[in-house]
Amino acid sequence: MKLSKIPLLGRVVIAIVSGIILGQFVPVWFARIFATFNDLFGNFLSFIIPLIILGLVAPAIGELGKGAGRLLLITTVIAYMSTLFSGFFTFFSCQAFFPNIITGAIDTGSVQGIDEGAVKTFFSIGMPPIMDVMSALILSFCIGIGLSLIKGDTLQKAFSDFRDIVTMIIRTVIIPLLPIYIFGMFLSISITGQVYSVIMLFLKVISVIFVLHILLLVIQYVVAGAISRRHPLKALKTMLPAYMTALGTASSAATIPVTLQCALNNKINPSIASFVIPLCATIHLAGSAMKIVGFSLAIMYFFGIPVDPGTFIGFIFMVGITMIAAPGVPGGAIMAAIGIIQSMLGFNEQMIGLMITVYIAVDSFGTACNVTGDGAIALIMDKWAGTSRT
């Protein structure tokens, strides 16, 4: 089988295992090759992140504004509120569990020197970004709001084309190179003797997030069932084919046909389902927000970084906005969120690398949570549309 035919998760697993094993006996010069690649790739990420934010957020805000209509507005608000709830639910739940299962079992002080003990690069090429992350966010909001207010559509089309370029870079450059980046990171970690701590972090955190994402789906359908007066567990069971399909595709967009059929099986008005399901596949990423918030918090505990609730609350609100603009490709959500993770939480390159790795490792579960939650929003919108017509 060609390497390109292996799913992203499979390539990430191969990269992790290979890095751990080879790190036990390869010479340092070999590791320095990949350390150099990681340095170049990390610098490229720093350069491209502001452009990713500008290319995704600005046209998304412009399109939402120009799409006017109460149905679009209410669906967007509900999707954003669902994502916010997911973020806060994850934050408070993880705050209760992580201090015991991470800092209580892992010597966080032993990993604070990972960067200092890392394998040195052969050379480095600076790639300074054209603007910092916060400037990109503010510029994106200004342009996006402006696009939604002006009558012409020339600039909107230009930013839509720019978004296509950014999405193409993510899909054809960044995502395919991620396994090599992850391999180099674990090769370095293995050589410096920190691999056991990192693996323990992965196993503990992934277990907690998996349980939370099941609870989130139950809560979403209990609320949707109460509003629509449908049996929540029956409605959730009807959406299981979409959940299982998303586990295989790891893409909300690719799962739309199955998600739509499941929504129709829930007796949702076809016109409402045909509008809500494709829209939510783009703007409703509650499962992805859960992973980003949970994994960010875990890595902060892992590295012994104090967690400021005020900063994290602002971070969750920004994650909600970023998820609306994230591209519907595997790994797209984490790539869109890297900028605010760096600027608001102060993550360095090593922490970002771990964040990307653990996120990709369970990417399909987050996607499954996203698309299944879309069915709950469709139930709510079906009830609202029916009420508004009477």
Side-chain angles (χ1 to χ4, degrees), residues 111-123:
V111 299
Q112 293 183 17
I114 285 180
D115 283 338
E116 288 75 9
V119 178
K120 305 301 180 185
T121 64
F122 283 114
F123 61 90

Side-chain angles (χ1 to χ4, degrees), residues 189-224:
I189 292 174
S190 181
I191 288 176
T192 55
Q194 306 295 343
V195 69
Y196 174 77
S197 296
V198 174
I199 294 300
M200 289 301 296
L201 169 72
F202 278 24
L203 294 178
K204 291 174 181 289
V205 173
I206 288 174
S207 299
V208 171
I209 297 300
F210 178 76
V211 173
L212 290 181
H213 106 264
I214 296 298
L215 292 176
L216 175 64
L217 287 176
V218 173
I219 293 172
Q220 287 176 334
Y221 276 85
V222 167
V223 173

Side-chain angles (χ1 to χ4, degrees), residues 314-336:
F315 172 69
I316 292 171
F317 277 99
M318 290 305 301
V319 167
I321 295 174
T322 305
M323 292 302 95
I324 290 177
V329 298
I334 185 60
M335 299 313 303

Side-chain angles (χ1 to χ4, degrees), residues 97-140:
F97 289 106
F98 283 175
N100 296 321
I101 68 172
I102 296 180
T103 59
I106 298 176
D107 180 12
T108 56
S110 67
V111 299
Q112 293 183 17
I114 285 180
D115 283 338
E116 288 75 9
V119 178
K120 305 301 180 185
T121 64
F122 283 114
F123 61 90
S124 180
I125 300 176
M127 305 178 194
I130 60 176
M131 68 182 80
D132 60 34
V133 170
M134 192 53 62
S135 296
L137 283 169
I138 295 173
L139 181 60
S140 298

